[in-house]
């Protein structure tokens, strides 16, 4: 609906909306995260949900212990190779629509520990990530900003058409293969459907 | 507390045919340690714990160290007569250090509040003769730490109640804390690759884009 | 590869199939479990609701700290130590700096020693406060005590932030001193926080002490005897709750702790309630130390003039340095081969070794108590798995 017409109508006391807007408005203001802390960043995540930063203002203070009740997975901390299969499995167990925030340098790329033999170099090798937050650890304000970014992303989603989100498109997968423990490394080391080595750019 | 020499002679009196050696430490910390032979490791540990004067009831730290074979060079000055004139010449002595794995234990006494007494045990080599006696029957605190040494260094502790991998998963084959361990080639994108990194990156990056 | 690679680890079974314990139930708690304080797993065998066997499973946060540290210089391991026990970065810094100072023979100036003691005690305060918050959370007090604790923690983190520039990962200490001097007004601000702390502890205690649920769920639960604790290398508040008087601040007298007057609180039952109470009492003692230290900080340099930040190469040798971290004895063992990197770098993590006795404390208890016992051990996975 045309924005100008809408505000014109509003002046006359007529409020209109679209189904899409109401649907997204409801979803974006009740994102329930999974209570899932991996390492240091999780402490900042807890601090965000406490009185000073008060995540409840964004409708997201209900941390669910079970993935079946959660909409959002905050990967807060270092994902080790030993933990990666469990992270993917938890993601698979969450119902659609589901979102992922990669919090901190470790979840993005391995961060300070990226030379480690047991550290996964970014959770985006196995599951799609919606918002990345840099920082080691990111401040609570950064996590709040990520929440707002995610809310923006949700409210911008179109319900029909080719760009409709994954949970409305039966053709796109909602579960991703869980890597297995190999003799030297995880097998496979990444999920090619989600992640490929980026092209080399040199100035 | 007694000096390390006194402890050494007392152990030698108490444990028959034990071979001990004091490992010097020239750094300012001056924490010298006692090298104990494999066969008598357990007996020496028991003595240290039960002896009334020492009473080392607390094993604080147990860890492994990997020593691959290496050539050690030592420089020292000697006086030599060259062409009839006495001169000071620097000579280099090379010794071959055999390869072995080592377990180090830091012992304290909680009751007497003294310490540390450091003991070390060495395996015969790094490949097949990698067994050491477990000290877990003497100090329970070695339990998890010896499992960790087994996991990361590959020292097998005979007499340990539950020797399994602890940090890595069960099917894992390598011993990552050894000096010659090669980590899996986990390609990590670098925005400005150069030299070494570039050579490694080429294996993964099919396309090269000039910007 | 060599022959050792052929040796398969024993396949582990919690309940061996042939033992005929068909009645027993096997439960895996973790690695994703809301009460495990991170990614820790316990394989528990249950008879009804009672625990008959419990095996901890580690390694879900094994970040290869030691391997990385052996490939880099002494100084660049300092920020990694922050991430060991991520509640207490400043005490981790101190332990590492202490070990390197022993190895290289550096003298810490008096002012730096005072700053170290002040920051370490502030760290202890916030660690114990948070621990009690998490412990009560595990008992079902969903959120309220934790909110109180985090409110207090934020005040201390503000102090850290104005001193070091970071809330959690302070990276503040250097070999032979500290990185930077106190900013203007920091002491007054710290004094204010410290003066308010007893009020907070009283409030906390009014909330919790003699609370019926807390007493019922903690008293007599998870008993640990003093002898077992010593033999198993348990350190820190858990050891003292079992009645063993061993506090490195008194025993080793590192830093300037011998100048302060404080007591070492001891428990006499070694149960979960004692472990909770020891933390409260230690917070009060920390406040005493802080009150004494803040009044007498001398002027002077904050780093040993002999200390070299660049080109630091200690002599060949080894050193083991340890301090009383909030969770127990935190030690660093370093071997130098004369190069810029340590040849061997080892962390002696208190909460890892404290878990040796987890099974002994849990067997015979109810499954719901396992959560509380684990909470009272005070683990941080960054340190357990490194
Ligand atoms: S990004 Fe930094 S703070 Fe976060 S988990 Fe990694 S090391 Fe810890």
């Amino acid at each position: 609906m045309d924005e100008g017409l809408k505000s014109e109508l509003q002046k006359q006391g007529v409020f209109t909306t679209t189904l899409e807007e109401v649907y997204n408005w409801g979803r974006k203001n009740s994102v329930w995260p999974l209570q899932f802390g991996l390492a240091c960043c999780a402490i900042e995540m807890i601090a965000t949900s406490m009185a000073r930063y008060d995540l409840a203002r964004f409708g997201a203070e209900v941390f669910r212990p079970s993935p079946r009740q959660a909409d959002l997975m905050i990967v807060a901390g270092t994902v080790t190779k030993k933990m990666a299969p469990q992270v993917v499995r938890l993601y698979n167990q969450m119902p659609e629509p589901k979102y992922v925030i990669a919090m901190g340098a470790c979840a993005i790329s391995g961060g300070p520990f990226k030379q480690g033999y047991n550290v996964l170099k970014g959770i985006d090798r196995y599951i799609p990530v919606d918002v990345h937050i840099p920082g080691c650890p990111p401040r609570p304000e950064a996590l709040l900003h990520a929440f707002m970014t995610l809310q923006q992303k949700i409210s911008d989603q179109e319900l029909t058409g080719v760009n409709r989100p994954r949970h409305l498109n039966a053709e796109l997968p909602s579960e991703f293969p869980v890597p297995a423990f190999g003799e030297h490394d995880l097998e496979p080391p990444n999920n090619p459907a989600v992640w490929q080595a980026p092209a080399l750019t040199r100035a | 507390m007694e000096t390390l020499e006194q402890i050494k002679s007392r152990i030698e009196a108490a444990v028959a045919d034990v071979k001990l050696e004091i490992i010097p430490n020239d750094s300012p910390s001056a924490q010298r340690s006692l090298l104990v032979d494999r066969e008598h490791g357990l007996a020496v540990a028991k003595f240290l714990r039960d002896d009334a004067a020492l009473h080392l009831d607390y094993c604080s730290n147990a860890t492994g160290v990997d020593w691959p074979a290496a050539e050690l060079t030592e420089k020292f000055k000697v006086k030599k007569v060259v062409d009839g004139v006495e001169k000071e010449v620097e000579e280099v002595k090379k010794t071959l250090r055999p390869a072995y794995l080592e377990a180090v234990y830091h012992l304290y006494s909680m009751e007497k509040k003294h310490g540390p007494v450091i003991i070390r045990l060495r395996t015969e080599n790094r490949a097949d003769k990698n067994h050491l006696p477990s000290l877990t029957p003497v100090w329970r605190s070695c339990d998890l730490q010896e499992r960790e040494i087994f996991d990361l260094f590959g020292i097998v502790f005979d007499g340990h109640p539950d020797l399994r991998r602890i940090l890595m998963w069960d099917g894992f084959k390598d011993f990552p804390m050894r000096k010659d361990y090669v980590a899996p080639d986990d390609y990590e994108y670098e925005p400005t690759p150069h030299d070494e990194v570039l050579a490694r990156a080429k294996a993964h990056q099919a396309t090269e884009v000039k910007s | 590869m060599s022959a050792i690679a052929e040796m398969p680890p024993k396949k582990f079974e919690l309940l061996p199939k042939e033992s005929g314990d068909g009645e027993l139930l096997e439960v895996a708690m973790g690695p994703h479990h809301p009460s495990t304080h991170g990614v820790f797993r316990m394989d528990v065998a249950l008879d009804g609701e009672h625990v008959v066997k419990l095996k901890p499973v580690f390694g879900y946060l094994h970040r290869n700290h030691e391997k990385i540290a052996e490939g880099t210089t002494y100084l660049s391991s300092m920020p990694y130590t922050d991430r060991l026990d991520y509640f207490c970065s400043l005490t981790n810094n101190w332990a590492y700096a202490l070990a390197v100072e022993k190895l290289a023979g550096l003298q810490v100036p008096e002012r730096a020693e005072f700053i170290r003691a002040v920051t370490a005690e502030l760290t202890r305060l916030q660690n114990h406060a948070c621990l009690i918050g998490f412990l009560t959370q595990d008992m079902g007090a969903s959120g309220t005590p934790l909110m109180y604790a985090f409110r207090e923690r934020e005040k201390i983190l503000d102090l850290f932030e104005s001193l070091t520039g970071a809330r959690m990962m302070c990276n503040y200490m250097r070999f032979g001193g500290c990185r930077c001097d106190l900013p203007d007004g920091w002491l007054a601000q710290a004094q204010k926080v410290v003066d308010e702390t007893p009020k907070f502890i009283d409030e906390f205690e009014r909330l919790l002490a003699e609370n019926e649920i807390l007493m019922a769920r903690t008293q007599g639960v998870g008993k640990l005897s003093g002898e077992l604790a010593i033999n198993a290398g348990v350190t820190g508040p858990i050891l003292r709750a079992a009645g063993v008087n061993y506090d490195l601040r008194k025993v080793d007298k590192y830093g300037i702790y011998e100048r302060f007057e404080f007591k070492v609180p001891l428990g006499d039952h070694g149960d979960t309630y004692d472990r909770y109470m020891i933390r409260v009492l230690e917070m009060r003692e920390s406040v005493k130390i802080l009150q004494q230290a803040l009044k007498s900080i001398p002027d002077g340099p904050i780093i040993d003039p002999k200390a070299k930040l660049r080109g630091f190469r200690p002599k060949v040798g080894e050193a083991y340095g340890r301090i009383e971290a909030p969770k127990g004895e935190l030690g660093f063992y370093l071997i130098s081969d004369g190069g810029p990197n340590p040849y061997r770098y080892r962390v002696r993590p208190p909460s890892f070794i404290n878990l040796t006795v987890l099974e002994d404390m849990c067997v015979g208890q109810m499954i719901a108590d396992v959560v509380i016992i684990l909470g009272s051990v005070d683990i941080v996975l960054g340190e357990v798995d490194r």
Side-chain angles (χ1 to χ4, degrees), chain B residues 25-29 31 33 49 57-58 60-68 97 104 106 108-110 113 118 120 126-128 130 138-141 143-145 148 150 152-154 156 162-164 166-168 170 173 175-179 181, chain C residues 1-5 7 9-10 12 55-56 58-59 62 66-67 70 102-105 228 230-235 239 244-246 251 315-320 322 329 333 335 342-348 352-353 355-357 360 384-386:
Chain B
N25 183 354
D26 296 332
S27 77
S29 81
Q31 291 174 343
S33 47
R49 185 192 60 181
D57 50 5
Y58 165 47
S60 160
N61 178 38
T63 186
V65 189
D66 178 26
W67 301 96
R97 185 184 69 200
V104 187
H106 286 75
Y108 288 86
S109 172
M110 278 203 191
K113 304 212 176 359
I118 307 164
R120 328 174 83 94
R126 293 169 77 240
D128 49 348
N130 55 354
V138 185
W139 294 288
R140 273 270 314 268
S141 56
D143 184 349
L144 298 178
Q145 305 191 65
E148 185 188 314
F150 166 72
L152 302 181
F153 290 91
V156 182
D162 183 19
L163 198 64
R164 297 179 274 138
I166 183 167
L167 294 177
M168 304 305 286
D170 271 342
K173 278 277 152 70
F175 300 106
M177 279 303 286
R178 290 198 181 183
K179 293 281 172 192
Y181 170 73
Chain C
M1 234 188 98
S2 48
I4 168 128
M7 192 191 55
K10 280 190 299 251
F12 174 68
K55 292 281 172 225
F58 302 89
H62 178 44
E66 292 179 4
K67 186 84 182 175
E70 283 170 21
K102 277 196 176 169
L103 185 66
L228 178 64
I230 293 177
N231 193 253
V234 171
T235 44
L239 178 73
V244 182
N245 186 351
Y246 195 73
V251 175
K315 265 205 225 145
V316 182
E318 60 173 52
Y320 178 67
R322 54 178 198 163
E329 171 186 329
Y333 174 57
I335 299 183
Y343 184 81
R344 176 81 180 103
Y345 173 104
R346 148 88 180 167
V347 188
R348 188 253 185 226
F352 176 59
I353 295 164
L355 284 175
T356 314
V357 289
D360 303 69
V384 172
D385 294 339
R386 282 149 292 135

Side-chain angles (χ1 to χ4, degrees), chain A residues 37-52:
Chain A
L38 288 170
C40 352
C41 283
I43 306 301
E44 284 297 61
M45 184 174 83
I46 296 171
T48 317
S49 67
M50 288 296 149
R52 189 182 201 175

Side-chain angles (χ1 to χ4, degrees), chain C residues 66-248:
Chain C
E66 292 179 4
K67 186 84 182 175
I68 293 172
E70 283 170 21
T72 180
T73 58
Y74 284 87
L75 184 59
S76 42
S77 294
M78 187 60 93
Y80 285 93
T81 62
D82 292 339
R83 288 155 180 82
L84 277 171
D85 172 357
Y86 29 79
F87 271 106
C88 320
S89 58
L90 284 159
T91 46
N92 300 346
N93 285 178
W94 193 357
Y96 179 49
L98 193 81
V100 177
E101 280 149 15
K102 277 196 176 169
L103 185 66
L106 297 171
Q107 292 305 321
V108 184
E110 210 181 345
R111 184 176 172 83
E113 289 281 25
F114 267 90
I115 298 176
R116 284 179 176 193
V118 168
T119 51
E121 293 309 315
L122 284 172
T123 306
R124 198 181 313 274
L125 273 181
Q126 56 103 352
N127 177 72
H128 285 359
C130 289
L131 169 93
I132 296 170
F134 283 119
L135 179 63
T136 47
Q137 171 120 344
D138 289 344
M139 276 178 232
S142 69
T144 315
L146 190 61
M147 291 240 182
Y148 276 65
F150 265 72
R151 187 193 62 195
E152 195 59 25
R153 178 171 185 258
E154 290 291 341
K155 289 184 199 157
I156 294 176
L157 290 195
D158 280 349
L159 286 178
F160 290 168
E161 192 176 4
S162 65
L163 175 60
T164 70
R167 280 157 54 86
M168 280 170 68
M169 306 304 174
C170 297
N171 180 17
Y172 177 61
M173 292 180 197
R174 291 289 177 268
F175 314 135
C178 298
R179 174 156 57 92
C180 51
D181 210 338
L182 301 174
D184 287 345
W186 194 87
L187 279 177
Q189 203 191 342
Q191 187 70 50
K192 196 161 148 264
V193 171
V194 172
D195 287 342
E196 281 171 4
T197 312
K199 232 175 76 203
F200 155 74
I201 304 175
D202 292 342
E203 188 187 13
F204 216 39
E205 279 242 80
R206 264 208 311 284
L207 190 69
L208 294 172
E210 301 191 14
N211 178 310
E212 239 176 84
I213 300 176
L214 185 121
M215 307 279 252
R217 294 219 49 195
T218 54
Q219 287 189 334
V221 171
K223 281 203 175 171
L224 177 68
S225 73
E227 284 125 61
L228 178 64
I230 293 177
N231 193 253
V234 171
T235 44
I238 316 176
L239 178 73
R240 294 191 285 274
V244 182
N245 186 351
Y246 195 73
D247 185 323
L248 295 184

